Amino acid sequence: MKCMAYCELCEMDREFCEHGLGERRRAATVATGGLLISPNGMAHFRGCPHKGDDPDYSRWARLDLPRAWERLGNGERLLATGGERADLIASTRCQDCVSHGPW
């Protein structure tokens, strides 16, 4: 039987509370090797359905910075750290990834 992790802040199981979700997103960003930046400057978790099945990432970039997801949510604009288009700047977060990610 799985033991429930309790959140003192919202008095819920951390698996379902917003604080637990934030922790899972931060952990996933590190575990997945960062974020991806689309050609229009939007940051996505790897596996986001917006990319589809197309394996071509020649117009995309990587973003591997500490707390990048959180920083973008606070309005920062972050320069890519790698990938094919290292000149891209992430300025927004994918709303599907905000609501459902990481995939």
Side-chain angles (χ1 to χ4, degrees), residues 24-97:
R24 288 190 302 280
R25 284 186 179 145
R26 284 188 291 277
T29 301
V30 171
T32 60
L35 303 170
L36 295 173
I37 305 173
S38 69
N40 64 357
M42 186 176 291
H44 300 266
F45 284 109
R46 294 182 189 277
C48 176
H50 280 129
K51 181 65 171 105
D53 294 333
D54 182 8
D56 181 15
Y57 282 90
S58 63
R59 298 179 55 222
W60 289 60
R62 283 192 327 268
L63 180 58
D64 299 316
L65 293 173
R67 297 179 17 253
W69 189 254
E70 180 183 342
R71 293 168 62 186
L72 287 166
N74 289 332
E76 285 188 55
R77 297 170 47 94
L78 302 172
L79 182 62
T81 58
E84 297 294 322
R85 290 281 315 276
D87 62 321
L88 288 176
I89 296 173
S91 57
T92 61
R93 301 188 302 184
C94 167
Q95 287 305 303
D96 284 341
C97 290

Side-chain angles (χ1 to χ4, degrees), residues 9-30:
L9 299 171
C10 62
E11 300 178 350
M12 292 178 64
D13 182 340
R14 290 192 76 78
E15 187 172 334
F16 303 104
C17 79
E18 64 183 76
H19 306 102
L21 177 62
E23 289 174 0
R24 288 190 302 280
R25 284 186 179 145
R26 284 188 291 277
T29 301
V30 171

